[in-house]
Amino acid sequence: MNSKFVKAFGQIQELFQQLQSEGKISEEQAELFDESQKDIINYHSWVKKQLEGNIKVELPWDNPTFEKAWKLWRDFKKEQFQFTYKPIGEQAALKDLADLSSGDMQTAIAIIHKSIKKGWRGLFALPQNTITKNLVTTQNSDYKQELLNRLSGGIGND
């Protein structure tokens, strides 16, 4: 497809040079111009599809909580910095987030929330003590929920 585009672009350039020197364009030149223009438009559509149409952004975690946090991050970027991700950039940002969080969804969400809270343009790894604190908090809340479930289950059985 690329060689066809280069050829079409060269033909149009040649036609314009002829038009400039002669001051008119023949019927044959007009047809060649039309064909070349169609090739360029087709090439442009092909490139656009390659860049936008075939790229589906995939979230690292298929989880509504993460989806909500990621949407919040995109909205924050748009509101604060008038920045909207394109598919390739968004996928790269998600990959970076997964790397920064060592593949842990809760850490990724904490990174997003801290970046928004601090008004940062980007996503940055949490200090190690923050990650440990988040893990302990998550474990404690899981334990508390489990205890509450057992207690409420015990009440209903009496």
Side-chain angles (χ1 to χ4, degrees), residues 60-61 66 92-104 108 111 123:
W61 299 277
F66 179 76
L94 285 162
K95 165 101 174 63
D96 286 346
L97 180 60
D99 292 345
L100 290 170
S101 66
S102 299
D104 180 70
I111 288 171
L123 300 164

Side-chain angles (χ1 to χ4, degrees), residues 27-41:
E27 192 67 36
E28 185 179 294
Q29 289 172 321
E31 286 177 26
L32 184 58
F33 175 82
D34 287 344
E35 289 173 26
S36 299
Q37 186 180 19
K38 286 176 190 172
D39 288 340
I40 289 173
I41 290 169

Side-chain angles (χ1 to χ4, degrees), residues 122-147:
L123 300 164
F124 304 98
L126 298 173
Q128 193 59 37
N129 62 349
T130 305
I131 294 170
T132 305
K133 185 191 285 184
N134 285 344
L135 183 59
V136 168
T137 302
T138 302
Q139 289 172 342
N140 283 343
S141 66
D142 289 346
Y143 171 75
K144 289 175 186 175
Q145 184 62 46
E146 184 180 321
L147 184 60

Side-chain angles (χ1 to χ4, degrees), residues 11 20 28 31 54 78-79 83 100 104 110 115-116 148:
Q11 288 173 334
Q20 184 180 16
E28 185 179 294
E31 286 177 26
N54 294 336
K78 188 174 185 177
E79 179 182 291
F83 177 84
L100 290 170
D104 180 70
S115 293
I116 292 170
L148 183 63

Side-chain angles (χ1 to χ4, degrees), residues 105-122:
M105 184 185 77
Q106 293 301 328
T107 302
I109 291 170
I111 288 171
I112 290 170
H113 287 246
K114 184 167 186 175
S115 293
I116 292 170
K117 180 180 173 186
K118 297 289 187 177
W120 293 339
R121 288 182 178 266

Side-chain angles (χ1 to χ4, degrees), residues 55-67:
I55 298 171
K56 182 179 183 287
V57 175
E58 294 182 27
L59 299 178
W61 299 277
D62 185 21
N63 181 290
T65 305
F66 179 76
E67 289 174 21

